[in-house]
Amino acid sequence: MSAVPGHTPDWLLTTVTAVRELMLKRLEAATSDPEAKREMEMALEELDVMWEELQGQAALLIRENERYAQFFEYAPDAYLISDVGGNIREVNRAALELLKAPLEEVVGKPLSIFIAPQDRVGFLTRSVGFMFGSAVPPPAWRSRLQTSDGAGLEVEFGVRAIPLKKSGIGGICWLLRPLA
């Protein structure tokens, strides 16, 4: 039984290992009952097969996650993911280039600090209304960004909620397109 290094949750590996060890101990103790021994051997084989299938699924999920991460990182459009409070959680290269800022100066910061002061109230009104469900945002709206070097840049914002499974909003996906 092997694990995908660094990617198998510890609790799962611990649980499967404990069950396997328990089954091996019972198998050793069942030497006097051939039927019980055969059932234990079959159960152990099934556990090993299920573990291998789980590892295959884990490897597939890891590849898909890496593929998504590369798509997000190298997308030609500027994308940001924020929490419902407007704090930036993820940002791609195109967005960093647009904001003219390094990753560590963007992630964890409110998106509103990158909005030009004269547009900030309008931006916050739209985004807060959207985040709390009191207003449906237009499919896109225009506003001015203020890049980290102080330059202003007019962009079109596209926004979409990332829903939670049960209710509410888990985050916000932002698309920023510079206007010529």
Side-chain angles (χ1 to χ4, degrees), residues 80 82 85-88 99 106 108-115 120 123-124 127 131 145 157 172 174 176:
L80 301 166
S82 73
N87 296 311
I88 299 168
L99 296 171
V106 175
K109 305 288 192 291
L111 177 55
S112 60
I113 68 169
F114 295 101
I115 304 301
R120 204 166 284 159
F123 175 82
L124 288 171
S127 59
M131 289 178 214
L145 282 181
F157 285 89
I172 310 289
W174 302 86
L176 288 70

Side-chain angles (χ1 to χ4, degrees), residues 54-68:
L54 266 175
Q55 291 302 305
Q57 290 298 317
L60 178 65
L61 288 172
I62 289 165
R63 283 192 306 272
E64 287 300 313
N65 188 47
E66 289 169 352
R67 188 171 144 220
Y68 159 78

Side-chain angles (χ1 to χ4, degrees), residues 62-81 90-95 173-175 177:
I62 289 165
R63 283 192 306 272
E64 287 300 313
N65 188 47
E66 289 169 352
R67 188 171 144 220
Y68 159 78
Q70 285 181 337
F71 170 77
F72 180 82
E73 181 68 16
Y74 297 104
D77 290 321
Y79 290 111
L80 301 166
I81 306 286
E90 294 181 55
V91 58
N92 70 355
R93 287 181 186 229
C173 183
W174 302 86
L175 169 64
R177 287 201 172 120

